[in-house]
């Protein structure tokens, strides 16, 4: 999936890259000039200290023993008080100090006449035909208007440090920044394309293409994890959409017959209004059809309530063994009246956290299925087995079971196998069983290898 350079340059991702690159360059420049400035300051401080020490010693000699002693000890070179231009090359090579003593008229008495300075510190240049190196000098006033000036050529490392900082600054601005922006553009294009894939999928889904999915790669990076989560959400939405369609069709199908029958009974009431007994029979039949409709809506409401998790707040400790035993005792007469054999094998000590009313509804639906959809003289077994942390409840019968073609859909709403169309029901019983099981973290399965219909419920044991 591609994108235009213009759209990438206008994207938030690339905007953040620009700010990041600019911030990196600014921080690098600040660090570079901070370090370079600290080095230059250290070199300058050392040089000032040396010059001030020399000034202090010269003043000590001058005031202690006079200007002649100062000239003889500190300034004279090969017997000549005044230095010539050639001597400066030697001073520059030895990195020695320059010095000049001037009288009250500012005429040189000893030292290098080409060194000029004002009072205090300054950076100056020598009066020399060939040397243009800067000099740091300090002039101090002496007695009677005389002055002494001492200086040193600026350290070579100082200029090298500043040149390095300047060169690195140009490199950061002219090389590193553009290279960072280009690299950021390439990274932004990759990120933008992944985000654009998500955006286009969202747009397609909004346009009604519910089967659209976000592309995933085999890298399983954070975008793939996001895409996987979105795709699973879309799978769920597609399933819910299909479920809604199925519910709509199921409701329409299951309501049409009783509503048609109610309409027919109303016509019969109109026809037989002069026959009270006939009208009473028609009213009774209409009430039965209306009750059937209400049962459908009650089942749908409860199913929606369970799937929304609204009953989870009512969870409490439930003795599943005792509850199952009570259900078995309540249904034993029903199976006997239906000419079916019923047996219960229930272990003690099955404690779980759950909603007792819903759990009773779950078992009731399974047991009623066994009553309604098994042959005469069928054998039905309700069992509960406790094995460590495992609790398994089984409702089994020895009937013809459920055909392989129908096993995958028995928990769908309103789904009824062809063989069940002739019996009463609305196709919501097992859907409610599945919803209640999911609410309690219980796995429900249909044993495909067993004879008859065998439902197994694996409950989590309460710690």
């Amino acid at each position: 999936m591609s994108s235009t350079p213009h759209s990438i340059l206008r994207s938030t991702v690339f905007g953040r890259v620009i700010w990041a690159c600019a911030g990196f360059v600014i921080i690098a420049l600040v660090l570079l000039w901070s370090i370079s400035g600290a080095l230059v300051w250290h070199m300058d401080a050392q040089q000032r200290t040396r010059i001030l020490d020399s000034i202090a010693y010269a003043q000590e000699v001058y005031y202690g023993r006079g200007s002649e002693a100062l000239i003889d000890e500190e300034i004279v070179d090969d017997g000549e008080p005044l230095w010539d231009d050639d001597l400066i090359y030697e001073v520059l090579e030895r990195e020695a100090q320059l010095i000049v003593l001037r009288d009250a008229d500012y005429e040189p008495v000893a030292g290098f006449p080409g060194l000029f300075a004002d009072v205090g510190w300054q950076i100056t240049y020598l009066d020399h035909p060939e040397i243009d190196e800067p000099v740091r000098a300090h002039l101090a006033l002496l007695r009677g208007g005389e002055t002494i000036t001492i200086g040193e050529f600026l350290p070579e490392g100082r200029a090298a440090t500043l040149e390095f900082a300047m060169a690195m600054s140009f490199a950061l601005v002219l090389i590193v920044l553009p290279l960072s922006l280009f690299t950021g553009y390439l990274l932004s294009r990759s990120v933008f394309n992944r985000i654009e894939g998500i955006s286009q999928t969202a747009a397609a889904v909004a346009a009604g293409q519910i089967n659209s999915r976000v592309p995933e790669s085999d890298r399983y990076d954070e975008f793939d994890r996001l895409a996987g989560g979105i795709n699973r959400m879309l799978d769920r939405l597609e399933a819910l959409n299909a479920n809604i369609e199925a519910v709509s069709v199921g409701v329409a199908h299951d309501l049409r017959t009783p509503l048609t029958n109610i309409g027919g009974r109303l016509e019969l009431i109109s026809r037989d209004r002069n026959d009270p007994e006939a009208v009473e029979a028609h009213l009774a039949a209409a009430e039965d059809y209306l009750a059937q409709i209400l049962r459908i809506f009650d089942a749908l409401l409860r199913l929606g309530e369970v799937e929304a998790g609204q009953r989870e707040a009512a969870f409490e400790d439930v003795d599943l063994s005792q509850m199952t035993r009570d259900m078995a005792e309540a249904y034993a007469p029903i199976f006997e009246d239906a000419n079916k054999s019923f047996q219960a094998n229930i272990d003690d000590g099955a404690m779980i956290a759950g909603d007792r009313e819903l759990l009773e509804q779950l078992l009731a639906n399974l047991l009623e299925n066994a009553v309604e959809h098994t042959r005469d003289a069928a054998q039905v077994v309700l069992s509960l087995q406790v094995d460590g942390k495992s609790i398994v409840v089984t409702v089994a019968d020895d009937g013809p079971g459920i055909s392989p073609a129908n096993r995958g859909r028995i928990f769908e709403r309103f789904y009824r196998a062809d063989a069940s169309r002739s019996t009463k029901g609305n196709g919501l019983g097992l859907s409610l069983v599945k919803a209640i099981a999911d609410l309690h973290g219980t796995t429900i399965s249909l044993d495909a290898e067993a004879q008859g219909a065998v439902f197994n419920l694996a409950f989590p044991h309460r710690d």
Side-chain angles (χ1 to χ4, degrees):
M1 188 173 296
S2 60
S3 54
T4 63
H6 181 66
S7 61
I8 295 175
L9 294 176
R10 294 181 58 189
S11 67
T12 302
V13 175
F14 187 68
R16 298 293 176 85
V17 168
I18 292 177
W19 282 107
C21 293
F24 167 77
V25 171
I26 291 173
I27 292 174
L29 287 172
V30 170
L31 290 174
L32 173 65
W33 282 102
S34 297
I35 296 173
S36 301
L39 291 174
V40 169
W41 179 87
H42 181 68
M43 287 185 283
D44 289 346
Q46 287 184 323
Q47 190 175 59
R48 289 191 185 95
T49 300
R50 290 194 301 270
I51 293 174
L52 287 176
D53 289 344
S54 298
I55 290 284
Y57 182 74
Q59 289 175 326
E60 180 183 349
V61 173
Y62 178 85
Y63 288 111
R65 289 177 286 160
S67 60
E68 295 298 329
L70 175 62
I71 294 172
D72 291 339
E73 292 184 16
E74 299 297 324
I75 303 176
V76 169
D77 184 85
D78 293 333
E80 296 294 331
L82 292 175
W83 298 357
D84 58 21
D85 290 344
D86 294 335
L87 180 62
I88 304 305
Y89 291 109
E90 182 181 347
V91 173
L92 180 62
E93 182 178 354
R94 291 187 289 113
E95 297 184 355
Q97 290 181 337
L98 300 167
I99 186 170
V100 61
L101 178 66
R102 297 181 185 274
D103 59 19
D105 296 326
Y106 203 65
E107 294 296 327
V109 176
F112 182 64
L115 176 62
F116 296 94
D118 295 327
V119 177
W121 290 104
Q122 60 185 282
I123 303 295
T124 186
Y125 292 88
L126 299 179
D127 183 10
H128 191 280
E130 297 180 1
I131 297 178
D132 58 358
E133 299 291 332
V135 176
R136 172 173 279 109
H138 187 277
L139 183 146
L141 295 175
L142 300 175
R143 185 171 47 206
E146 290 184 312
T147 61
I148 185 169
T149 302
I150 299 178
E152 289 184 8
F153 290 107
L154 293 181
E156 293 184 2
R158 186 181 193 278
T161 300
L162 293 175
E163 289 175 0
F164 173 78
M166 187 63 67
M168 288 301 299
S169 298
F170 280 112
L172 284 170
V173 175
L174 301 179
I175 299 177
V176 175
L177 181 58
L179 183 61
S180 299
L181 290 175
F182 178 70
T183 304
Y185 172 81
L186 296 180
L187 293 175
S188 299
R189 184 173 66 177
S190 174
V191 173
F192 187 84
N193 288 339
R194 301 296 295 274
I195 296 176
E196 189 67 13
I198 297 174
S199 300
Q200 292 186 8
T201 300
V205 172
Q209 301 176 21
I210 193 66
N211 60 340
S212 298
R213 295 295 182 270
V214 180
E216 299 182 51
S217 69
D218 55 359
R219 294 191 297 270
Y220 197 65
D221 55 16
E222 60 275 12
F223 287 102
D224 290 317
R225 292 192 292 273
L226 175 61
I230 293 175
N231 288 338
R232 287 190 295 273
M233 177 188 68
L234 291 175
D235 290 339
R236 178 62 175 163
L237 287 176
E238 186 174 13
L240 290 175
N241 187 58
N243 194 23
I244 291 173
E245 294 178 357
V247 168
S248 301
V249 173
V251 168
H253 181 274
D254 279 42
L255 292 184
R256 183 172 61 179
T257 299
L259 288 174
T260 301
N261 290 334
I262 290 174
R265 290 294 176 174
L266 291 176
E267 291 180 1
L268 292 174
I269 290 173
S270 178
R271 186 195 66 184
D272 299 333
R273 58 181 177 273
N274 295 323
D275 186 350
E277 293 184 1
V279 170
E280 185 177 351
H282 297 324
L283 287 174
E287 288 177 354
D288 289 340
Y289 295 133
L290 184 59
Q292 182 180 348
I293 294 173
L294 292 176
R295 283 196 298 272
I296 293 174
F297 281 109
D298 286 342
L300 283 173
L301 288 174
R302 171 160 287 201
L303 185 56
E305 186 182 59
V306 172
E307 289 183 341
Q310 296 176 3
R311 298 292 292 266
E312 194 169 0
F315 275 20
E316 59 184 2
D317 291 342
V318 177
D319 187 342
L320 190 62
S321 297
Q322 186 59 47
M323 190 202 78
T324 306
R325 190 174 292 110
D326 293 341
M327 293 294 293
E329 292 176 359
Y331 272 84
I334 298 176
F335 281 102
E336 184 177 351
D337 292 342
N339 194 28
K340 302 177 192 295
S341 172
F342 179 67
Q343 180 181 356
N345 301 313
I346 302 170
D347 291 350
D348 292 326
M351 295 296 297
I352 66 170
D355 185 317
R356 182 183 179 92
E357 181 183 350
L358 291 179
L359 292 170
E360 289 177 347
Q361 179 76 64
L362 180 151
L363 285 179
N365 285 9
L366 291 177
L367 292 172
E368 286 173 7
N369 263 11
V371 172
E372 296 294 336
H373 302 295
T374 55
R375 58 179 173 78
D376 289 343
Q379 293 185 351
V380 179
V381 177
L382 171 63
S383 65
L384 185 152
Q385 295 180 327
V386 180
D387 182 12
K389 290 190 176 182
S390 174
I391 301 174
V392 178
V393 175
T394 302
V395 178
D397 64 65
D398 62 351
I402 300 173
S403 66
N406 295 320
R407 288 172 186 164
R409 304 186 60 189
I410 58 174
F411 295 112
E412 295 180 11
R413 297 185 186 185
F414 293 104
Y415 181 76
R416 301 178 69 190
D418 293 338
S420 301
R421 293 292 177 183
S422 58
T423 61
K424 65 179 182 179
N426 51 40
L428 293 172
L430 290 180
S431 299
L432 186 56
V433 167
K434 180 68 165 59
I436 296 172
D438 291 342
L439 181 68
H440 288 79
T442 300
T443 302
I444 182 170
S445 60
L446 179 65
D447 192 341
E449 303 297 328
Q451 179 183 357
V454 179
F455 291 92
N456 294 312
L457 295 125
F459 286 86
H461 201 289
R462 183 175 64 87
D463 294 331

